[in-house]
Each structure stands twice: as C-alpha cells, then as structure tokens.
Amino acid sequence: MVTLETPRLILRRWREEDVAPMAAVNADPEVMRWIRDGSVRDEQQTRDGIRAWESEWETQGFGLFAVEIRSTGELAGFTGLSVPAYLPEVLPAVEIGWRLGRSHWGQGLATEAAAAVVRFAFEERGLERIVSIAQVGNDASERIMTKLGMRAVRETVHPGGGRRVRVFELSSDEYARSREGGRLPRP
C-alpha cells in the first residue's frame, strides 16, 4: 500500500469511511463546476468512483489518493494519477488530477498534494511524462499546473461534454531540471 506524506497531508488509499465525505465534495456544484459537464454526484456514484479508482491501483500501479488532513484526519478530497481514456487524442498518457472540498481551497493544499504525486510519478513509478487537463476558464487548476512546472501543449474539446479543455504536460527531464534548480514546490 502506497502512502505519501507532506507537512500537512497524508495521501493514502481509500477506506469505506471516505465514501460519505467524498460524496459531500462531489455533491457541491461549485466543486463540480469544472468537472466534465458540471453535474454533481451522489453517494452511490461516489462509491462506484472510489471502487474504480482502487481498481486502477491494482491494474496500473498508480491511482487517485485519498487526501487526508494530517492534523485532523479529515478527508479533503483526492489527488493522484489516472489514464485519461476520456480524451483519446492525448493517449498514451497518465494524467495528474485533484479535487478538494471547498473548505480546503486557497490554502495551497492541492499544490502540496500534487507536488508529492509528481515526485511519485517520476521517481517511484518511472513515468516519462504526465499530463493535466483543465477546462478553459479553470484558472485555479491552471495555476497549480504552472506551479508544478507543467506547460500548456494544446487546446481541444472534451468529447464527452463538448467543453474546451487545455492540456498541460511535464516530462521526466523537465521535472529533473526543475528539481535541480529548486523551481518546484516542495511536497
């Protein structure tokens, strides 16, 4: 079982008790605004999602981590890696993504968690590149991508929702140069 730790967070595999707090995150229209078509998800959809995320750990050797606040044990949301099968034009690829509850926004937690996952992707899983995909207009996510050293490489349309998305990318070589130069956020 892979667990990553940062000064404020524990990134870990999913537990049954994570379903209700993650369902609350997924039920918030403001959180879901930039996810696919903006639809919220109920508890069963969240449970099914967690089951799929855990399955990806078994088949791919990576997945989405539950993000826990170290000081309180509260589930903040997720950060992790997945295959973006919904956008075939970028495949083969591994995507880094995140989703935190609104009460955890604006504190640098998504960047802290994502920086740990970037390190995991390149240093522990040996990936050659990662991508991140955000709907055009999701400036908060694009700021995180930029802080991670990612660069925009294309703009396209999400085939499932018809919304415009921007694809960012980071190669293992770019990551190594950024780490050496001290330009990446510390996880």
Side-chain angles (χ1 to χ4, degrees):
M1 289 280 244
V2 176
T3 301
L4 306 179
E5 296 190 19
T6 73
R8 298 181 291 170
L9 304 170
I10 298 171
L11 283 67
R12 58 169 174 76
R13 299 281 294 271
W14 295 88
R15 303 176 186 146
E16 177 61 29
E17 60 267 24
D18 296 327
V19 173
M22 192 66 217
V25 171
N26 287 339
D28 183 337
E30 190 59 27
V31 170
M32 299 303 288
R33 175 181 175 198
W34 300 109
I35 310 300
R36 294 194 182 111
D37 67 356
S39 297
V40 297
R41 299 195 181 121
D42 64 22
E43 189 165 315
Q44 186 57 52
Q45 290 168 313
T46 299
R47 183 179 304 282
D48 293 345
I50 290 173
R51 205 172 287 126
W53 302 337
E54 278 296 297
S55 176
E56 197 162 31
W57 274 104
E58 303 308 320
T59 60
Q60 301 290 340
F62 55 76
L64 299 178
F65 290 96
V67 175
E68 180 181 311
I69 305 296
R70 184 187 286 274
S71 63
T72 64
E74 178 185 3
L75 181 80
F78 72 70
T79 304
L81 302 169
S82 64
V83 175
Y86 65 89
L87 195 60
E89 69 188 75
V90 302
L91 296 176
V94 175
E95 177 185 15
I96 183 171
W98 45 84
R99 183 181 311 154
L100 300 182
R102 229 187 315 174
S103 64
H104 301 290
W105 292 0
Q107 302 168 46
L109 296 174
T111 302
E112 184 175 323
V117 171
V118 167
R119 186 179 69 223
F120 170 76
F122 291 125
E123 296 180 16
E124 294 185 37
R125 289 300 182 254
L127 298 179
E128 290 297 316
R129 88 179 168 113
I130 57 174
V131 299
S132 195
I133 303 161
Q135 289 186 20
V136 173
N138 186 348
D139 298 335
S141 279
E142 287 194 12
R143 278 192 298 276
I144 294 167
M145 294 170 194
T146 302
K147 288 178 188 176
L148 296 173
M150 302 185 93
R151 58 188 164 72
V153 293
R154 78 170 66 181
E155 200 169 296
T156 189
V157 174
H158 186 297
R163 293 183 176 187
R164 295 206 59 74
V165 294
R166 199 166 285 133
V167 180
F168 283 68
E169 180 178 281
L170 181 65
S171 72
S172 58
D173 290 342
E174 291 166 328
Y175 166 77
R177 285 192 299 275
S178 293
R179 287 278 293 175
E180 290 168 7
R183 292 186 304 271
L184 289 180
R186 299 195 62 77

